[in-house]
Amino acid sequence: MKILLMTIGSRGDVEPFIALGKALIKKGHEVELCTAQRFKAMVTEHGLSHQPITDQLFDLIEGDTFESMGNLFSGVKTAIRLMKASKPIHKQMIIDCIKAGLTVKPNLIVFHPKCLAAVSIAESLRIPAVMAALQLMTVKTSDFPPAGMPNLGRRFNRWSYKLVSLGFKQFSKELNRQRQAKLDLPRLTRSDGVTTYRDGKVVDVIHAFSEAIIPRPSDWPESAFISGYWQLELDSAGYQPSQKLAEFLADGAPPIYIGFGSMTGKDPKQTTQIVIDAVTKAKVRAIIATGWGGLEAADLPDNILPDSILPDSIVGIEGAPHDWLFDRVAAVVHHGGAGTTAAGLKAGKPTLICPFFGDQPFLGSADRKARLGPGTN
């Protein structure tokens, strides 16, 4: 079977689809992955064919945009601003996705919810489409709100999913224009074209997270599934750490890992100093992954701790394979990205999530409720 995977977003939105693609190839399927041009090398080095989507969205969201979405009111304000600014970019992404679909002509499409044209492409090719959600987003439930929304009770939780549908409908005009121009399809009238087909039928949704962390809601329809995490198995067996990191790990108790992935923050150096101060106060050994916001490991001063703590109690690294590193640490502190959360839990390590936006506060709360870490209160 020829399968087209489609995803839009950061590295955390791409790696699970690569993991899925590699698993499908092992089963004998032909797989192509449609995603941002900047991820082409990563896609192809894992053996998948790549179909490009414009990188323009990254120009819009890079910086401290996501950090301004930390609460309901600022989040809504930022989301409205992004919707207006992103409309021409979404037009190009819709066009790019349609081009990929018509080029590949797959038998099945598996798509991230931000790939607005996926269901229309499937309709044009008369094939099935399956949404792959990395977080709670589109399937209504009273148990939880969508990612990024506050939990204000069961009635509000279920109602809040209407906001997601309204978000998709912000792009209906452009989607309809491209349906007619590129796919020769009629306009959508009863559907948002992302969560439902033109006739109103609901699109099946696979949720790529663990039911042990987020229990399946009792009021979900049969069209919603939980598959477990899609984790990219990296070739960490051949990974060679730097001499500095190897010596640090061998010379003392297992350290704490601290890293915030691609979250930039308004002042990366200040964030780093806060982390250093916390490590110093706790009197623990720590590995600080210093890649956020363009901060280099070299920016960590050599002598950052008082005499009561050894100066080598902290080591800064640009990064290391999580499946290799997390087996060697005592606990992990991170932003709560789905991939990093899954890697820490897979390693069996206590997890402290310091959320920035989106589903990260929810994952911190779920982590606390499962008694896997102190959570984010």
Side-chain angles (χ1 to χ4, degrees):
M1 179 185 294
K2 185 182 291 187
I3 301 174
L4 177 60
L5 309 181
M6 312 184 84
T7 184
I8 292 173
S10 67
R11 185 185 182 103
D13 295 293
V14 177
E15 283 193 355
F17 280 81
I18 294 177
L20 175 63
K22 294 181 72 172
L24 290 170
I25 289 173
K26 286 184 179 180
K27 294 290 185 180
H29 300 291
E30 181 181 345
V31 181
E32 299 210 23
L33 177 53
C34 177
T35 192
Q37 180 67 29
R38 66 166 57 186
F39 295 116
K40 179 179 180 178
M42 184 171 68
V43 171
T44 56
E45 74 182 18
H46 285 286
L48 281 69
S49 297
H50 177 257
Q51 293 291 330
I53 297 176
T54 177
D55 284 338
Q56 290 176 301
L57 186 63
F58 291 95
D59 297 332
L60 176 65
I61 64 177
E62 285 175 343
D64 65 349
T65 297
F66 287 144
E67 283 76 355
S68 66
M69 300 180 73
N71 60 63
L72 174 61
F73 299 105
S74 63
V76 169
K77 182 178 179 180
T78 301
I80 292 173
R81 177 174 64 83
L82 285 176
M83 283 181 185
K84 291 180 179 178
S86 67
K87 282 191 174 182
I89 300 174
H90 277 86
K91 173 183 178 179
Q92 188 58 51
M93 292 194 298
I94 289 171
I95 292 172
D96 291 345
C97 287
I98 290 174
K99 180 179 179 181
L102 297 180
T103 299
V104 177
K105 292 184 171 59
N107 306 110
L108 170 68
I109 293 175
V110 181
F111 69 100
H112 189 289
K114 290 197 285 282
C115 295
L116 305 176
V119 173
S120 295
I121 298 166
E123 181 184 345
S124 175
L125 298 175
R126 298 183 179 181
I127 61 171
V130 177
M131 180 183 291
L134 306 180
Q135 57 197 15
L136 294 164
M137 180 178 275
T138 64
V139 183
K140 293 180 182 179
T141 175
S142 299
D143 292 354
F144 312 107
M149 296 291 290
N151 190 331
L152 300 179
R154 296 182 62 82
R155 183 176 297 180
F156 174 82
N157 287 347
R158 192 166 186 86
W159 174 86
S160 61
Y161 286 86
K162 292 183 180 179
L163 298 177
V164 178
S165 182
L166 288 174
F168 288 136
K169 288 182 179 179
Q170 292 289 320
F171 305 101
S172 292
K173 183 177 181 179
E174 187 57 49
L175 181 58
N176 273 323
R177 184 181 290 117
Q178 299 306 325
R179 279 172 61 90
Q180 293 178 307
K182 306 292 184 181
L183 298 172
D184 195 26
L185 292 175
R187 294 176 57 83
L188 297 167
T189 56
R190 300 173 53 191
S191 165
D192 61 27
V194 181
T195 64
T196 51
Y197 294 94
R198 186 168 60 92
D199 61 3
K201 180 183 176 182
V202 175
V203 174
D204 289 345
V205 183
I206 300 175
H207 294 82
F209 49 69
S210 172
E211 196 166 353
I213 307 302
I214 304 175
R216 177 186 172 86
S218 59
D219 55 353
W220 263 8
E222 293 183 358
S223 58
F225 307 88
I226 297 178
S227 66
Y229 290 109
W230 299 343
Q231 292 180 282
L232 187 59
E233 296 293 337
L234 301 175
D235 186 17
S236 59
Y239 171 71
Q240 293 295 325
S242 67
Q243 181 178 350
K244 182 179 180 181
L245 177 57
E247 291 177 352
F248 181 79
L249 288 169
D251 187 28
I256 308 296
Y257 167 86
I258 304 170
F260 301 133
S262 60
M263 300 295 101
T264 58
K266 295 181 180 180
D267 190 338
K269 290 191 177 183
Q270 182 184 34
T271 301
T272 302
Q273 189 59 55
I274 291 171
V275 170
I276 291 170
D277 292 344
V279 170
T280 303
K281 186 176 181 180
K283 297 183 179 180
V284 295
R285 286 159 41 86
I287 295 172
I288 302 180
T290 57
W292 69 81
L295 188 67
E296 302 295 332
D299 291 326
L300 283 176
D302 292 332
N303 298 307
I304 52 178
L305 301 174
D307 293 338
S308 59
I309 305 292
L310 293 176
D312 61 355
S313 292
I314 296 178
V315 66
I317 63 171
E318 289 296 325
H322 286 167
D323 56 341
W324 182 91
L325 183 58
F326 287 1
D327 280 340
R328 293 164 170 80
V329 301
V332 294
V333 179
H334 59 81
H335 59 296
T340 311
T341 301
L345 297 178
K346 182 180 179 182
K349 305 301 179 179
T351 299
L352 171 60
I353 291 176
C354 302
F356 285 69
F357 80 104
D359 63 331
Q360 296 166 8
F362 176 81
L363 287 175
S365 176
D367 182 72
R368 184 186 70 252
K369 289 179 181 177
R371 298 184 177 181
L372 300 170
T376 56
N377 282 354

